[in-house]
Amino acid sequence: MALAGRHDAPEPPDFGILKRLARDQLVYLLEQQHDVDKLYKVETRPGPGASDQFCFLVRPRVRTMRFIADIVNADKMSGRSRKYKIIFSPQKFYACEMVLEEEGVFGDVTCDEWSFYLLPLDEDIISMELPEFFRDYFLEGDHRWINPIARALQLLNSLYGPFGKTYGIGRCAKMSYELWRDLEEENESEGQGRKPEIGHVFLTDRDMDYVTALCSQVVYEGIVDDTFRIKCGSVDFGPDVTSSDKSIKVLLNSQDKVFSQIRNEHFSSVFGLLSQKSRNLQAQYDRRRGMDIKQMKDFVSQELKGLKQEHRLLSLHIGACEFIMKKKTKQDFQETIKAEHSLLEGFDIRESTSFIEEHIDRQVSPIESLRLMCLLSITENGLIPKDYRSLKTQYLQSYGPEHLLTFHNLKRIGLLTEQSAGETLTAVESKVSKLVTDRAAGKITDAFNSLARKSNFRAISKKLGLIPRLDGEYDLKMPRDMAYVFGGAYMPLSCKIIEQVLERRGWQGLEEVVRLLNGNEFSASDSTVEDNPAWESQRVVLAVFLGGCTFSEIAALRFLGKERGCKFIFLTTAITNSARMMEAMIEAKA
Amino acid sequence: MDCYTANWNPLGEETFYRKLELYSMEWGLREDLRDCVVAAAPYGGPIALLRNSRRDKIPGARPLLEIYSSSGLLLASVPWKSGRLVHLGWTAGEDLLCIQEDGTVLVYNLFCEFKRHFSMGNEVLQNHVLEAQVFHTEFGTGVAILTGALRFSLATNIDDLKLRRLPEVPGLQKPPPCWAVLSQDRVTMVLLAVGQELFLLDNTSCSVVEKFCEFNTGIRSPPKQMVWCTRPRSRQRAVVLAWERQLMVVGNSSECIRFVLDEDSHLVPELDGVRILSRTSHEFLHEIPEASQEIFRIASMAPGALLLEAQKEYEKESQKADEYLREIREQQLLPEAVGQCIEAAGYEHEPETQKSLLRAASFGKCFLDKFPPEGFVRMCQDLRVLNAVRDYQIGIPLTFTQYKQLTIEVLLDRLVLRRLYPLAIRICEFLRLPEIQGVSRILAHWACYKVQQKDKSDEEVAQAINQKLGDTAGISYSDIATRAYDCGRAELAIKLLEYEPRSGEQVPLLLKMKRSKLALGKAIESGDTDLVYTVVLHLKNELNRGTFFMTLQNQPVALSLYRQFCRHQERETLKDLYNQDDNHQELGNLHVQGGYCEQRIEGRVAALQNALDEFYKAKNDFAAKATEEQIKLLRLQRHLQEELDKPYLDLSLHDTVATLILDGHHKRAEQLYRDFRIPDKRYWWLKINALATRGDWEEMEKFSKSKKSPIGYLPFVEVAVKHHNRYEAKKYAPRVPPEQRVKAFVLVGDLEQAAEAAIERKNEAEMSLVLARCSAGTDGAVAEKLNRARAQLLKK
């Protein structure tokens, strides 16, 4: 990134301790089991093995419980007696015990908890690795994950000192925040007196901004995620990329010297940077010539290994770029991006609609088609009834009738809706939705179904100036604002809100936006933390995304941090992208 | 003070015993003690008394069971209504055990409130209890019984009742004149006398015991009671024997100490002495501890004694003080002297003596540089506590040694047990005990007692409790509420629960009180889904299905949680749930989902038919129509499958038609196109793609001419190019409308034509596009032409 920040961004807190804590606890749990000799993935049924004890390390999911119950019951049938232990991570749910009980194996197993809430993926990203959160909370209205989130906040608070200011928007954000405060009150004194390392916290719900998550990603890290799927901070590059006959697993984080330079760049500048890099590398290799023996010896012992490593990574990333390019040209990537941009800007809606229709008719990709439909709906505050029917019909004809259920889900969550008569949010509606957020007032209405909110994207976009006015070409190599992560066409809404609130130190002046977003904003400051602007921690901001965040948003905020001389760190329930969101909505054939 | 040692009685060379009065008894007892069944708990515990039990056997007369404090203040009394009582005894937790003739043991608390009862077994029931003893071991409190059959039965821990019958004692013809229970190394045994012999009876055998010491009392009648009287770490082992009018202390020396008893007395063994209870007084007989001996023995030159003397002289402003002090300091024994004085102070019951000893210690400390103050301070604190509990109003005559053995925590528990809350709190505050184990614990106990006071209204009690407790840390209002509920005061419990700040804590009790709906609200408020599940499950079992569902309807959070659970575990219930609130949309969805699980096509069609009905009811025309189409498609697919012997099932409409075309069944494809009203655009896209894949260019050409293409002709070009057939592609390029023609020609690779088209359209962007494709070698002419045209265009 070329622009120099106002002052140097502070170092993020050390997340290593999170890993150490989790590891120690797991080691302790497993040692109680004595001699764990083999590890299996839970999905694959363990071999008949002679072992007389099984230990399952699982997420608290009903499906998994049934799987375990089957194993236990099968053993019982064949008269085998074993010891079974289930270690739940991050915590046990009563529903799981209920399932075990109903399956009649509750007495046969013992349970334990591994309170592993936070997995640091990189020096500035912590993930809770809970991809199911998105569907469970936003679609099913299931609040069970709020407790783990509050506990995760509690853990951060106890390790990195009290947070100075907390802001947030969204129902889940508010509930999590309140539950966390309750937890803190119950066992006071733990994090107190520690030097605060995190100055600001911003919590946001994914449903505050679906638009950003639905856009095609064009920063390198995002595009790699869209194309290859980054899992837990690493990616499998297939034979197409490695130009050999096997796949290679590559860790993608700031340790990777090549990747760390290009991850936040717009894809169009990546090739340039990579070739620059390869020339530099060559130059370094070339220094060998004209070296005497001693220098050569030093070179081999000190630098060569690093260079070789870099060389390997460079060729992998070049391979990845080539693969992406090939794939993109095949799928009319430019056309898609163009359609997306017109949707964001809100012109030529008809043309975009027929583009989507053609996309469906040609069976380009079920997920992609769905994504474009959703993007159309959410930017337009719902589809006009005619399009709503015809696009859905087309879709069912192309990709199969089972998607009828998918559409139902999308409607419920508010991603694909029909325009209704009254366009803007009425005062009554916003009042009702306010009431619904009060914890006990759930009686008024089932907040998840009947109040599928309007997105009001166009109005918000205008208010916040999300579409930059273009005078001339947007220089993607020298970005001037966060819009660069979408080719200069659109500034991510979620990031813009964070920027605005941090700038204003609160929600003043954003009342209209908040109303359009359906409220649920809050801000609070910890009175025990002095407001000392000289402290480094004042410039460390923890951005919490409930329901997932995309690499584009991460890149945008990293850029903002560099501009403002502060450091953003990220806590998310999972890394997400448009495809993951769409897949979460698809009703799997049972 | 000169006659301080007046009540010291020597036994042997080294040891002295003294008897001092603790209290003059307040109980105004008219009967002789021997007419009562008496039991006093150790550690200065309460005294239980049952009058008239053995002598008057007037039927119908109800003897009174009374409990007194050690100072003889009545704590409680209750008329004895049960069977004949043989023995009374106290447990370590100060519960009263009343052993009846039939082997039933009734347990009462300190205030004569009945707690529970248990039986010592059938054998005891049949043969009756002859004698009984209550004993204490490391396991807890035990009961030993001698039955009418002259057999011993015992239970070592009454809280974990395991009855044991000991083997028969050979040659036992009549009840042994005396016996005792011993416990050593986790084994409990009975020691008994048979004639002149002593036997030790354990689980399996009965063995003769050797004599340790023999003493001739010179009294013919057997003693009424005999108990150990020795202090920890003493060299002297002594027992106290009591006759009607005589008390004797006997050790291993040849002499003994004799006391005359004015009235009938009862002995209570303690850790460091013996308490002697009589109608009018309560005395304590004990061996003088070493420190006291050293200081007070006549003409003692021990450092402590000298220090005490020095301090007295100092108070008299005599210079002798200096002499004494000097003497101690010359021997460098001052720290020892101070220590002795502090220790001895602990053994004194009279505050005056305590004070003078402490004053001496304090005086001595002044001449010491770095004497650690803790010991002194702690002794002062301990003595204040001890003096407070020894007050006759409280009546716990603990000695310092007993107190240290008992620990402050247990002492506090015992105060709480006696409902002496204010004193307990004062002690906590005085000793600065942490709130959780000190003040708040006691307040909680107080509150639990308070809720049992039935004469006050719920409102009053709740307010009084809240006023006292406020937000004291570590107080659990839900525990207090639970107690209130257990006492049958549900309304009070609910009032108290409102003070509980953690809503999660309120739930279990509310459930117990069957206030499930309130519990559900609180559970949801707590944000703990596990708790919500717990309540939901509870409701499910408690209510009938209809009301259960209705309750859930009002609690969306709970409802969605339960739905989530049903979705995975109980699909049928889910259907019922949706049925209940006429959610036809969801019902339809469920049927659709269920349909996919059906293997047989008939089953699937049936499921979809059900879904269709529901969608109609839900007025969801779209879903209904889509489902109808799907049923139609399924039937058709089955037909195709049978006829063409190829899997068609589960294909989408698009794929079905495409497959038909791929296999050359154009007629059928056409039929589907019409039947399902496939939009023209889709059909054309689909058909040309399928034809191209099939390589059926002839058919494609025919198709292109069948009517005007709704998707234009560029797709034809694209498809052909995609399948690497430039020849065919070229056929369609001219039919492409002018605005796309350039692209079409570029696609087929005919740059010349492309250039021409671009020039014709006078479109600079298109010209550039073509130019970019021109390679210098082969397409020179075209490039030149384009450049020229462009220049011309720009000129204008």
Side-chain angles (χ1 to χ4, degrees):
Chain A
M1 202 72 48
L3 262 171
R6 282 196 305 200
H7 26 214
D8 292 336
E11 285 293 308
D14 174 25
F15 292 150
I17 188 164
L18 290 173
K19 276 190 183 166
R20 288 196 293 276
L21 273 176
R23 190 189 51 211
D24 291 351
Q25 205 201 344
L26 184 62
V27 167
Y28 172 74
L29 284 174
L30 290 178
E31 266 172 9
Q32 286 184 320
Q33 281 314 104
H34 323 292
D35 325 318
V36 170
D37 60 357
K38 239 175 189 168
L39 292 170
Y40 300 93
K41 259 192 159 177
V42 169
E43 285 78 21
T44 52
R45 190 167 277 270
S51 172
D52 57 357
Q53 57 179 3
F54 281 163
C55 175
F56 302 91
L57 179 59
V58 295
R59 287 278 187 220
R61 293 174 186 144
V62 170
R63 194 164 14 96
T64 324
M65 289 307 110
R66 283 238 288 276
F67 174 80
I68 292 172
D70 287 349
I71 292 178
V72 177
N73 280 327
D75 279 350
K76 270 194 199 166
M77 291 283 279
S78 62
R80 265 210 79 129
S81 79
R82 270 192 246 261
K83 278 203 264 178
Y84 308 92
K85 178 168 195 136
I86 307 179
I87 301 176
F88 292 98
S89 172
Q91 63 188 53
K92 183 170 72 181
F93 285 140
Y94 184 64
C96 295
E97 287 179 336
M98 258 159 78
V99 173
L100 292 177
E101 207 178 318
E102 288 197 358
E103 302 285 331
V105 297
F106 186 65
D108 303 292
V109 300
T110 51
C111 298
D112 226 321
E113 285 183 348
W114 181 33
S115 45
F116 179 40
Y117 293 101
L118 302 167
L119 172 71
L121 293 180
D122 205 342
E123 58 169 31
D124 58 351
I125 308 174
I126 312 172
S127 167
M128 296 185 68
E129 292 298 312
L130 292 173
E132 61 257 62
F133 175 90
F134 179 63
R135 186 180 163 117
D136 282 353
Y137 178 78
F138 291 105
L139 182 67
E140 315 278 7
D142 182 342
H143 290 191
R144 77 172 77 175
W145 295 112
I146 290 178
N147 196 329
I149 291 170
R151 291 201 181 276
L153 287 174
Q154 192 186 16
L155 181 60
L156 284 178
N157 193 57
S158 72
L159 289 178
Y160 303 110
F163 310 140
K165 287 216 121 214
T166 314
Y167 312 100
I169 186 160
R171 212 172 119 86
C172 181
K174 200 167 183 178
M175 284 194 284
S176 309
Y177 171 75
E178 279 166 1
L179 187 60
W180 165 57
R181 289 308 321 168
D182 287 353
L183 288 178
E184 288 294 334
E185 260 166 45
E186 266 174 46
N187 34 358
E188 204 88 45
S189 82
E190 248 179 72
Q192 301 296 329
R194 288 190 69 109
K195 186 179 156 291
E197 289 185 67
I198 297 169
H200 302 265
V201 177
F202 194 104
L203 295 116
T204 177
D205 283 11
R206 185 72 268 173
D207 67 348
M208 288 296 116
D209 175 17
Y210 283 136
V211 174
T212 305
L214 285 174
C215 291
S216 303
Q217 305 197 67
V218 284
V219 288
Y220 184 64
E221 194 166 8
I223 222 166
V224 168
D225 189 31
D226 277 357
T227 318
F228 303 100
R229 295 277 170 116
I230 300 176
K231 283 184 200 124
C232 282
S234 72
V235 71
D236 266 323
F237 282 137
D240 292 338
V241 174
T242 57
S243 44
S244 63
D245 50 356
K246 57 177 191 286
S247 295
I248 297 181
K249 193 172 184 139
V250 186
L251 268 177
L252 295 179
N253 57 32
S254 48
Q255 305 296 311
D256 177 340
K257 276 190 196 155
V258 180
F259 180 67
S260 64
Q261 279 184 24
I262 53 172
R263 67 196 302 187
N264 298 321
E265 296 297 326
H266 189 271
F267 189 64
S268 63
S269 20
V270 169
F271 254 132
L273 280 166
L274 284 178
S275 59
Q276 171 79 37
K277 188 101 193 143
S278 64
R279 275 198 299 278
N280 288 350
L281 203 59
Q282 190 59 50
Q284 276 183 300
Y285 271 122
D286 288 347
R287 281 195 301 123
R288 278 180 304 182
R289 286 184 209 130
M291 275 184 187
D292 59 29
I293 296 278
K294 171 133 189 357
Q295 283 168 325
M296 186 65 104
K297 199 175 148 201
D298 287 347
F299 176 81
V300 171
S301 66
Q302 284 160 18
E303 283 173 59
L304 194 59
K305 196 162 167 248
L307 290 178
K308 276 212 163 131
Q309 169 74 1
E310 219 168 314
H311 183 146
R312 194 181 71 92
L313 290 168
L314 197 58
S315 63
L316 277 173
H317 286 295
I318 291 174
C321 280
E322 278 171 347
F323 182 85
I324 292 166
M325 287 295 281
K326 224 188 275 169
K327 200 171 162 197
K328 294 296 170 193
T329 38
K330 220 192 248 167
Q331 286 185 358
D332 299 328
F333 190 58
Q334 287 311 322
E335 299 275 308
T336 316
I337 291 280
K338 213 181 102 196
E340 250 174 55
H341 286 179
S342 10
L343 287 177
L344 289 168
E345 286 164 46
F347 60 80
D348 287 344
I349 296 305
R350 277 275 35 101
E351 201 172 297
S352 304
T353 312
S354 19
F355 175 80
I356 296 171
E357 206 166 17
E358 193 184 305
H359 201 270
I360 296 169
D361 285 351
R362 292 171 53 198
Q363 289 185 310
V364 179
S365 138
I367 294 288
E368 278 280 285
S369 301
L370 209 54
R371 175 176 77 85
L372 290 169
M373 282 164 76
C374 290
L375 199 58
L376 174 66
S377 162
I378 203 126
T379 52
E380 287 295 299
N381 248 350
L383 302 175
I384 53 172
K386 193 179 127 276
D387 290 344
Y388 186 60
R389 286 184 76 94
S390 79
L391 281 179
K392 284 203 300 185
T393 314
Q394 301 285 313
Y395 193 91
L396 293 183
Q397 289 187 354
S398 268
Y399 301 119
E402 67 271 17
H403 287 290
L404 192 61
L405 301 176
T406 310
F407 288 133
H408 180 73
N409 289 343
L410 287 169
K411 183 179 170 187
R412 247 173 54 177
I413 204 170
L415 275 172
L416 185 62
T417 55
E418 191 172 359
Q419 270 175 21
S420 52
E423 265 317 289
T424 45
L425 195 70
T426 63
V428 179
E429 261 182 302
S430 73
K431 207 178 235 164
V432 169
S433 69
K434 264 239 167 62
L435 278 175
V436 169
T437 60
D438 292 346
R439 282 194 194 175
K443 292 168 198 152
I444 295 175
T445 169
D446 187 346
F448 314 104
N449 299 338
S450 52
L451 257 178
R453 313 183 342 258
K454 295 214 177 67
S455 67
N456 300 313
F457 176 73
R458 196 75 59 222
I460 295 168
S461 162
K462 210 176 272 168
K463 265 264 161 323
L464 289 173
L466 296 182
I467 312 294
R469 282 214 190 84
L470 269 192
D471 31 350
E473 193 89 335
Y474 190 101
D475 188 355
L476 293 168
K477 290 201 175 79
M478 296 279 282
R480 47 172 197 228
D481 54 29
M482 293 189 287
Y484 91 94
V485 300
F486 292 113
Y490 161 67
M491 218 176 290
L493 168 57
S494 49
C495 305
K496 185 76 183 175
I497 296 174
I498 294 175
E499 179 207 73
Q500 288 292 311
V501 171
L502 289 178
E503 202 166 85
R504 293 161 197 260
R505 317 200 112 238
W507 294 95
Q508 282 89 22
L510 295 171
E511 290 81 4
E512 182 63 14
V513 176
V514 166
R515 193 182 69 80
L516 290 167
L517 282 171
N518 254 316
N520 284 322
E521 82 287 2
F522 61 91
S523 69
S525 48
D526 190 331
S527 50
T528 61
V529 183
E530 284 175 71
D531 205 15
N532 189 343
W535 278 355
E536 286 271 280
S537 69
Q538 282 296 310
R539 287 185 283 121
V540 177
V541 184
L542 174 69
V544 185
F545 286 84
L546 304 176
C549 91
T550 64
F551 281 117
S552 297
E553 286 165 316
I554 292 175
L557 286 177
R558 277 179 185 150
F559 170 81
L560 185 69
K562 275 198 183 139
E563 288 271 280
R564 302 283 160 92
C566 55
K567 182 80 194 176
F568 280 93
I569 49 181
F570 302 88
L571 169 61
T572 176
T573 50
I575 296 289
T576 193
N577 61 16
S578 53
R580 289 196 190 95
M581 265 171 64
M582 292 295 108
E583 280 159 11
M585 289 300 116
I586 287 177
E587 205 64 47
K589 282 189 189 180
Chain B
M1 204 45 75
D2 295 328
C3 54
Y4 182 82
T5 52
N7 62 350
W8 286 23
N9 298 288
L11 184 71
E13 300 274 297
E14 292 282 313
T15 46
F16 297 89
Y17 283 80
R18 102 179 133 179
K19 193 165 71 132
L20 48 94
E21 182 165 51
L22 295 170
Y23 305 106
S24 59
M25 294 302 275
E26 303 269 331
W27 54 11
L29 206 63
R30 256 178 253 118
E31 293 85 347
D32 258 341
L33 271 184
R34 63 168 169 265
D35 294 339
C36 311
V37 183
V38 185
Y43 292 98
I47 306 162
L49 195 74
L50 189 79
R51 306 186 191 197
N52 303 332
S53 70
R54 257 180 269 198
R55 283 286 164 91
D56 330 325
K57 281 184 182 165
I58 312 160
R62 292 268 160 86
L64 212 55
L65 176 65
E66 294 168 314
I67 294 178
Y68 292 92
S69 77
S70 291
S71 56
L73 292 177
L74 185 68
L75 293 177
S77 70
V78 67
W80 183 254
K81 292 176 194 163
S82 311
R84 206 178 77 80
L85 189 79
V86 175
H87 188 84
L88 286 174
W90 291 92
T91 68
E94 297 202 325
D95 278 332
L96 181 63
L97 300 179
C98 308
I99 302 158
Q100 292 191 144
E101 197 175 33
D102 61 357
T104 313
V105 181
L106 294 94
V107 187
Y108 285 86
N109 76 1
L110 208 52
F111 292 95
C112 281
E113 284 157 3
F114 177 73
K115 284 177 86 167
R116 65 189 175 101
H117 77 276
F118 58 89
S119 163
M120 289 301 288
N122 260 338
E123 200 260 333
V124 179
L125 181 70
Q126 278 163 15
N127 295 318
H128 282 284
V129 180
L130 217 53
E131 282 172 45
Q133 280 191 23
V134 174
F135 58 94
H136 302 275
T137 67
E138 61 265 55
F139 304 111
T141 305
V143 173
I145 304 264
L146 175 64
T147 67
L150 302 181
R151 293 285 296 266
F152 287 95
S153 272
L154 53 83
T156 41
N157 181 7
I158 57 157
D159 292 321
D160 177 22
L161 201 64
K162 283 196 192 89
L163 296 175
R164 242 173 54 207
R165 199 172 164 212
L166 295 185
E168 208 168 340
V169 184
L172 193 64
Q173 299 297 330
K174 53 180 184 166
C178 83
W179 57 279
V181 184
L182 305 178
S183 173
Q184 194 180 21
D185 301 332
R186 308 169 74 83
V187 179
T188 313
M189 295 162 289
V190 171
L191 180 68
L192 74 159
V194 181
Q196 292 291 310
E197 303 276 10
L198 272 179
F199 287 99
L200 198 58
L201 192 61
D202 67 11
N203 276 348
T204 50
S205 63
C206 181
S207 52
V208 179
V209 181
E210 272 182 46
K211 237 170 274 175
F212 168 70
C213 167
E214 199 175 301
F215 182 86
N216 190 354
T217 62
I219 298 173
R220 292 192 65 85
S221 59
K224 230 182 68 192
Q225 234 185 325
M226 180 162 101
V227 296
W228 286 105
C229 175
T230 183
R231 64 177 171 83
R233 289 184 304 281
S234 168
R235 265 162 295 169
Q236 179 69 268
R237 259 171 290 225
V239 287
V240 176
L241 300 95
W243 285 267
E244 301 268 305
R245 286 289 176 264
Q246 183 154 215
L247 197 70
M248 197 183 277
V249 184
V250 176
N252 23 10
S253 68
S254 53
E255 300 115 70
C256 68
I257 311 169
R258 288 167 199 268
F259 295 98
V260 175
L261 290 175
D262 296 336
E263 37 188 3
D264 207 21
S265 298
H266 181 78
L267 303 183
V268 186
E270 291 279 7
L271 178 69
D272 53 349
V274 173
R275 284 192 287 143
I276 305 159
L277 266 177
S278 74
R279 215 163 61 174
T280 53
S281 72
H282 191 167
E283 292 172 305
F284 185 56
L285 172 66
H286 74 128
E287 185 195 335
I288 307 283
E290 210 157 351
S292 306
Q293 252 190 62
E294 292 269 290
I295 292 178
F296 292 113
R297 209 171 44 197
I298 296 165
S300 167
M301 293 297 277
L306 292 175
L307 182 59
L308 184 65
E309 218 41 51
Q311 199 270 337
K312 278 179 190 160
E313 293 302 328
Y314 171 76
E315 247 169 45
K316 285 189 234 159
E317 301 184 14
S318 151
Q319 87 285 0
K320 275 193 190 157
D322 184 51
E323 283 170 28
Y324 284 125
L325 208 54
R326 210 179 285 272
E327 199 173 329
I328 310 171
R329 294 181 74 179
E330 268 164 20
Q331 300 172 64
Q332 298 191 327
L333 285 173
L334 193 50
E336 209 166 290
V338 174
Q340 263 179 2
C341 284
I342 296 175
E343 198 193 333
Y347 299 124
E348 293 306 317
H349 276 245
E350 278 304 314
E352 274 314 310
T353 323
Q354 295 167 359
K355 276 186 202 161
S356 74
L357 283 164
L358 287 173
R359 236 179 269 132
S362 161
F363 176 70
K365 249 161 39 109
C366 300
F367 301 95
L368 282 171
D369 262 352
K370 280 176 188 146
F371 190 79
E374 294 86 1
F376 181 76
V377 173
R378 201 172 305 126
M379 181 55 79
C380 290
Q381 289 179 334
D382 287 343
L383 281 177
R384 273 200 82 170
V385 172
L386 280 175
N387 289 337
V389 299
R390 281 174 194 163
D391 186 282
Y392 87 98
Q393 294 279 11
I394 309 296
I396 304 179
L398 273 185
T399 65
F400 183 76
T401 318
Q402 291 164 18
Y403 168 67
K404 282 293 148 187
Q405 179 74 19
L406 199 63
T407 72
I408 182 68
E409 286 79 13
V410 178
L411 177 60
L412 285 172
D413 279 343
R414 298 202 157 180
L415 290 176
V416 165
L417 209 61
R418 285 166 173 72
R419 300 180 189 152
L420 298 167
Y421 306 107
L423 178 65
I425 289 178
R426 293 282 292 280
I427 290 177
C428 291
E429 282 166 357
F430 174 64
L431 295 179
R432 301 214 181 90
L433 294 181
E435 283 217 326
I436 307 265
Q437 38 166 297
V439 175
S440 28
R441 198 171 60 99
I442 290 158
L443 278 175
H445 277 292
W446 167 76
C448 287
Y449 170 62
K450 190 86 187 162
V451 297
Q452 299 171 32
Q453 294 185 337
K454 305 234 157 124
D455 51 331
K456 299 234 171 68
S457 78
D458 293 343
E459 194 62 46
E460 268 177 284
V461 174
Q463 234 166 30
I465 288 176
N466 183 240
Q467 214 167 20
K468 272 252 159 53
L469 270 57
D471 299 328
T472 317
I475 291 268
S476 162
Y477 276 98
S478 49
D479 287 352
I480 302 168
T482 308
R483 178 62 68 90
Y485 176 68
D486 290 343
C487 301
R489 299 182 76 165
E491 286 308 314
L492 176 60
I494 290 180
K495 282 205 169 63
L496 286 170
L497 273 184
E498 272 160 25
Y499 295 119
E500 174 65 61
R502 294 157 297 171
S503 37
E505 294 289 309
Q506 308 172 350
V507 172
L509 180 60
L510 286 172
L511 279 183
K512 206 167 129 193
M513 291 166 61
K514 305 231 180 291
R515 303 293 174 106
S516 318
K517 285 174 196 173
L518 197 56
L520 186 57
K522 295 286 182 193
I524 291 168
E525 222 174 274
S526 77
D528 182 346
T529 44
D530 278 4
L531 215 51
V532 180
Y533 267 128
T534 319
V535 182
V536 166
L537 208 72
H538 208 90
L539 280 171
K540 188 180 159 195
N541 295 332
E542 191 182 292
L543 306 173
N544 67 40
R545 225 170 157 79
T547 5
F548 173 57
F549 287 168
M550 281 312 289
T551 313
L552 286 186
Q553 292 300 339
N554 295 326
Q555 296 285 6
V557 176
L559 180 62
S560 63
L561 271 176
Y562 186 61
R563 267 193 210 138
Q564 241 340 40
F565 177 74
C566 290
R567 201 178 299 279
H568 293 291
Q569 202 63 8
E570 293 174 27
R571 279 187 167 266
E572 286 310 307
T573 314
L574 199 57
K575 264 184 206 164
D576 294 345
L577 259 178
Y578 289 134
N579 246 325
Q580 162 105 5
D581 55 324
D582 293 329
N583 193 337
H584 298 293
Q585 177 63 42
E586 288 293 351
L587 275 173
N589 287 346
L590 269 184
H591 284 302
V592 171
Q593 236 159 16
Y596 291 119
C597 307
E598 292 282 347
Q599 287 303 313
R600 287 167 48 252
I601 192 157
E602 289 80 10
R604 189 173 298 187
V605 169
L608 287 177
Q609 199 72 49
N610 285 337
L612 183 61
D613 293 343
E614 296 296 343
F615 285 140
Y616 271 126
K617 281 188 206 151
K619 301 207 169 50
N620 187 340
D621 300 342
F622 176 79
K625 193 156 167 278
T627 312
E628 214 169 339
E629 300 255 288
Q630 173 58 10
I631 294 174
K632 198 161 110 186
L633 182 65
L634 271 177
R635 291 199 170 123
L636 194 98
Q637 281 173 340
R638 181 177 53 175
H639 186 70
L640 289 174
Q641 210 155 295
E642 278 164 12
E643 200 169 320
L644 306 174
D645 195 24
K646 207 176 165 205
Y648 277 92
L649 217 57
D650 280 340
L651 294 182
S652 70
L653 177 62
H654 184 114
D655 293 338
T656 312
V657 179
T659 315
L660 283 174
I661 296 173
L662 271 178
D663 295 344
H665 306 294
H666 298 303
K667 275 270 156 50
R668 283 183 197 279
E670 197 84 9
Q671 188 68 36
L672 256 71
Y673 155 65
R674 272 196 300 275
D675 285 355
F676 286 89
R677 285 191 299 280
I678 295 175
D680 286 351
K681 277 188 183 174
R682 169 192 295 283
Y683 186 62
W684 281 68
W685 269 113
L686 176 165
K687 183 150 182 173
I688 60 173
N689 259 319
L691 288 175
T693 314
R694 205 167 123 84
D696 195 346
W697 305 109
E698 200 177 319
E699 182 66 30
M700 184 147 137
E701 194 169 353
K702 224 160 74 192
F703 182 56
S704 79
K705 285 172 184 158
S706 65
K707 67 178 191 181
K708 188 173 178 295
S709 161
I711 52 172
Y713 293 89
L714 186 61
F716 284 79
V717 180
E718 283 172 344
V719 164
V721 170
K722 196 169 143 202
H723 288 90
H724 311 290
N725 195 331
R726 288 203 173 194
Y727 173 75
E728 285 295 329
K730 269 184 188 164
K731 281 189 192 166
Y732 301 101
R735 297 171 68 180
V736 172
E739 58 271 22
Q740 289 178 329
R741 203 170 287 159
V742 178
K743 194 180 170 194
F745 281 122
V746 170
L747 269 176
V748 299
D750 191 341
L751 291 180
E752 215 164 310
Q753 292 246 41
E756 240 165 63
I759 293 165
E760 202 172 302
R761 280 171 45 76
K762 297 190 175 144
N763 184 323
E764 199 220 330
E766 283 176 3
M767 289 182 201
S768 310
L769 183 88
V770 183
L771 253 178
R773 294 295 181 102
C774 292
S775 56
T778 49
D779 312 310
V782 181
E784 199 182 321
K785 202 159 138 194
L786 276 167
N787 277 329
R788 227 180 306 125
R790 198 161 68 156
Q792 210 167 11
L793 199 67
L794 289 173
K795 233 185 270 170
K796 284 176 189 168

